[in-house]
Amino acid sequence: MDIIRTKSDLREIVNKALGKGQTIGLIPTMGFLHEGHLSLMRRARRENDLVIVSVFVNPTQFGPNEDLEAYPRDSEKDITLMRSVNADIAFFPDADDIYPYGYATYVQVEGAMAQTLCGRSRPIHFRGVTTIVSKLFHLAKPHRAYFGQKDAQQVAIIAKMIQDLDFDIELVVCPIIREADGLAMSSRNRYLTSRERSKAKVLSQALHSAQAKIKNGERSAAAVIQNITERIASVKPAEIDYVSVMDAVTLNDVQALRGKILIAVAVIIGRTRLIDNVQFEV
Amino acid sequence: MDIIRTKSDLREIVNKALGKGQTIGLIPTMGFLHEGHLSLMRRARRENDLVIVSVFVNPTQFGPNEDLEAYPRDSEKDITLMRSVNADIAFFPDADDIYPYGYATYVQVEGAMAQTLCGRSRPIHFRGVTTIVSKLFHLAKPHRAYFGQKDAQQVAIIAKMIQDLDFDIELVVCPIIREADGLAMSSRNRYLTSRERSKAKVLSQALHSAQAKIKNGERSAAAVIQNITERIASVKPAEIDYVSVMDAVTLNDVQALRGKILIAVAVIIGRTRLIDNVQFEV
């Protein structure tokens, strides 16, 4: 595996691979890798000649009071994990190379999709995400890009961006990987105290019990939202940011459950904001 | 020459050419082609295996009170001219294919560069330009993209976008092509009545006389602006939108002339808004 730190070195490798007719799979990450990331890399390994994993804690997607500085980092362990799944390229760019002095260009999915859910409490977040992902697409020139369903809104927004801007890239969305008790894997889980950690399972429990009710015939979004809200609110200290039942593609709220449905929650446990979701067809 | 009307047909041709290791040159236009466009195509023809000319009057770069509907169109003549310079692909997409229902993603160079000059009277213009150019870059996957120096601010903004978003594309900027009396060629010149047409040469005359003064030692931007303003204001009916002396890369105003300088003017003659510029090193 090659460890690459500059855009120009990455470009050289990418153009050489394309010249040989190789296919490229890209996994954009913020590092502090876990089984969720590894599942993306394993799939990319099966489907592409060249597997590029980028590690960049992207400042433009963090608000002024968010955890940019505190975001967990462990590049040694990240490299070991990437090697374990036979990634070809680990790309660790510097922030100054990605956003040099005078940087001014942004890619934005406008309208409701990026303003709802996490966009409400994180107003610049998705503009930062679509900008860095566009840049990584231009640098790595992937045939396929791999993202986790854990970040459901991010996935919907990137799908919209790929479609709208005519990127010739296949978006591959991989299932949420969960801990034994159901908690969705996330680099931010390490912020949880052990007491909080044991409470955190309420997100997935509430979602799965709602899904069971829907399987048994429940079709009212309001009833589902109430059910999840009550379940999560019963746990202290858990503060609900949102519980939302939506069309999985447009992220528009639905009243009656039909078609591709996404149920997403964001909950603050102690000082840690956790998200989780389930997606299914009714 | 192939005439292509859908994104998917273009993508097929492009990917086939790249698979054969061919280089691609793209000339994005709004049609109603003139010698200025042809100079771009001739240069692209010399430098690339596949020359793609797009013709699309891009609605997102026109304000609500601008000339989107009236913008001159003549696709028959455009095709004849493209054939005359041996272009390979004429791409005439439909607006519905480029901006389908629900379209929501925009690329924007933020800050002063896009708000000054034409950005002041045309606030959404450059956001529309950078969005459509990004889409055409993703569709045509060019190695080189050709633009005319006539649209100096557009060129500076696209250069900034290419750099910021890490597009692996060489921007080729070609000199302004002028009529015999010095008027910069533009599809919008056809709006001029014959009386206005004869007055319109004042833009290039004022710019060139300013340039002569600078050659003779003038270094004050204020004096140059005053000189150009007086010269243009002496012609009726000519209403000055701006006369600006700037750093050619950043488009920041300068006080003293040094380095790469851009002098740009926008003037409304009758009901037609004309732009012109000179760029040089002091």
Side-chain angles (χ1 to χ4, degrees), chain A residues 39 51 67 82 110 136 139 153 155 159 177 182 188 247 261-262 265:
Chain A
S39 73
V51 173
D67 59 344
M82 289 183 220
E110 301 186 355
L136 290 168
L139 288 165
Q153 187 177 13
V155 161
I177 305 295
R188 287 192 172 96
D247 178 283
I261 294 294
L262 170 70
V265 301

Side-chain angles (χ1 to χ4, degrees), chain B residues 184-203:
Chain B
M185 289 203 186
S186 165
S187 307
R188 287 192 171 96
N189 290 349
R190 74 119 58 193
Y191 294 151
L192 298 166
T193 65
S194 66
R195 189 168 161 275
E196 288 164 355
R197 172 65 191 78
S198 71
K199 310 266 183 184
K201 61 177 177 286
V202 71
L203 279 76

Side-chain angles (χ1 to χ4, degrees), chain A residues 7 11 15 18 97-98 100-111 127 131 134-136 138-139 141 157 160-161 163-169, chain B residues 7 11 15 18 97-98 100-111 127 131 134-136 138-139 141 157 160-161 163-169:
Chain A
K7 298 193 295 189
R11 182 153 281 163
N15 286 340
L18 292 174
D97 199 21
I98 296 292
Y101 177 77
Y103 188 91
T105 308
Y106 293 89
V107 178
Q108 189 158 12
V109 175
E110 301 186 355
R127 168 175 171 275
T131 299
S134 291
K135 285 169 65 75
L136 290 168
H138 295 153
L139 288 165
K141 301 183 184 173
I157 287 170
K160 179 71 174 148
M161 176 188 83
Q163 184 185 50
D164 278 357
L165 291 186
D166 302 308
F167 278 104
D168 190 11
I169 294 172
Chain B
K7 298 192 294 189
R11 181 152 281 163
N15 286 341
L18 292 175
D97 199 19
I98 295 292
Y101 178 76
Y103 187 91
T105 308
Y106 294 89
V107 178
Q108 188 159 13
V109 175
E110 300 186 354
R127 170 175 170 276
T131 299
S134 291
K135 286 169 64 74
L136 290 168
H138 294 152
L139 288 165
K141 301 182 185 174
I157 288 170
K160 180 71 175 149
M161 176 188 83
Q163 184 185 51
D164 277 357
L165 290 187
D166 302 308
F167 278 104
D168 190 11
I169 294 173

Side-chain angles (χ1 to χ4, degrees), chain A residues 1 36 52 69 72 161 213 243 252 264:
Chain A
M1 188 177 77
I52 301 174
E69 292 307 320
M161 176 188 83
K213 284 201 169 58
V243 175
N252 288 331

Side-chain angles (χ1 to χ4, degrees), chain A residues 3-279:
Chain A
I3 298 168
I4 300 297
R5 302 201 178 268
T6 67
K7 298 193 295 189
S8 53
D9 284 352
L10 180 65
R11 182 153 281 163
E12 199 181 317
I13 289 169
V14 162
N15 286 340
K16 198 186 276 184
L18 292 174
K20 289 191 276 188
Q22 293 188 339
T23 58
I24 297 175
L26 172 69
I27 302 103
T29 82
M30 299 211 301
F32 212 72
L33 303 176
H34 52 65
E35 269 301 316
H37 301 105
L38 293 177
S39 73
L40 307 178
M41 295 179 207
R42 287 192 195 98
R43 175 137 183 214
R45 179 71 288 165
R46 290 198 300 274
E47 297 178 342
N48 302 277
D49 299 316
L50 189 76
V51 173
I52 301 174
V53 182
S54 64
V55 174
F56 182 62
V57 181
N58 174 37
T60 62
Q61 73 191 63
F62 286 80
N65 298 315
E66 292 181 11
D67 59 344
L68 172 61
E69 292 307 320
Y71 196 86
R73 291 159 168 91
D74 188 346
S75 58
E76 289 304 308
K77 191 178 163 208
D78 289 346
I79 289 168
T80 304
L81 289 171
M82 289 183 220
R83 285 210 168 100
S84 77
V85 293
N86 288 316
D88 298 301
I89 306 292
F91 179 47
F92 286 90
D94 272 352
D96 290 350
D97 199 21
I98 296 292
Y99 297 115
Y101 177 77
Y103 188 91
T105 308
Y106 293 89
V107 178
Q108 189 158 12
V109 175
E110 301 186 355
M113 185 179 270
Q115 286 162 12
T116 184
L117 306 180
C118 294
R120 228 171 295 164
S121 60
R122 309 187 72 187
I124 65 156
H125 177 67
F126 290 111
R127 168 175 171 275
V129 169
T130 42
T131 299
I132 189 66
V133 170
S134 291
K135 285 169 65 75
L136 290 168
F137 283 179
H138 295 153
L139 288 165
K141 301 183 184 173
H143 298 78
R144 299 178 191 84
Y146 297 79
F147 291 87
Q149 177 59 29
K150 155 88 173 358
D151 301 306
Q153 187 177 13
Q154 170 174 286
V155 161
I157 287 170
I158 289 172
K160 179 71 174 148
M161 176 188 83
I162 287 175
Q163 184 185 50
D164 278 357
L165 291 186
D166 302 308
F167 278 104
D168 190 11
I169 294 172
E170 183 191 345
L171 175 64
V172 182
V173 182
C174 300
I176 299 177
I177 305 295
R178 298 181 178 281
E179 304 284 357
D181 68 352
L183 177 65
M185 289 204 187
S186 164
S187 307
R188 287 192 172 96
N189 290 349
R190 74 120 58 191
Y191 294 151
L192 298 167
T193 65
S194 66
R195 190 168 162 276
E196 288 164 356
R197 172 65 191 80
S198 71
K199 311 267 183 182
K201 60 178 178 285
V202 70
L203 278 75
S204 63
Q205 288 175 342
L207 287 168
H208 288 111
S209 103
Q211 214 178 348
K213 284 201 169 58
I214 293 161
K215 220 170 184 174
N216 288 333
E218 180 63 75
R219 289 293 176 271
S220 155
V224 169
I225 290 171
Q226 192 187 341
N227 187 263
I228 295 172
T229 303
E230 284 171 1
R231 177 76 176 258
I232 296 174
S234 73
V235 169
K236 302 279 174 249
E239 184 199 326
I240 294 174
D241 180 1
Y242 61 75
V243 175
S244 192
V245 178
M246 297 156 286
D247 178 283
V249 175
T250 64
L251 305 189
N252 288 331
D253 284 335
V254 297
Q255 251 108 62
L257 283 78
R258 225 180 70 185
K260 276 194 175 173
I261 294 294
L262 170 70
I263 307 182
V265 301
V267 178
I268 296 138
I269 302 222
R271 283 157 53 167
T272 305
R273 191 170 173 283
L274 300 176
I275 59 174
D276 199 350
N277 69 83
V278 287
Q279 190 175 325

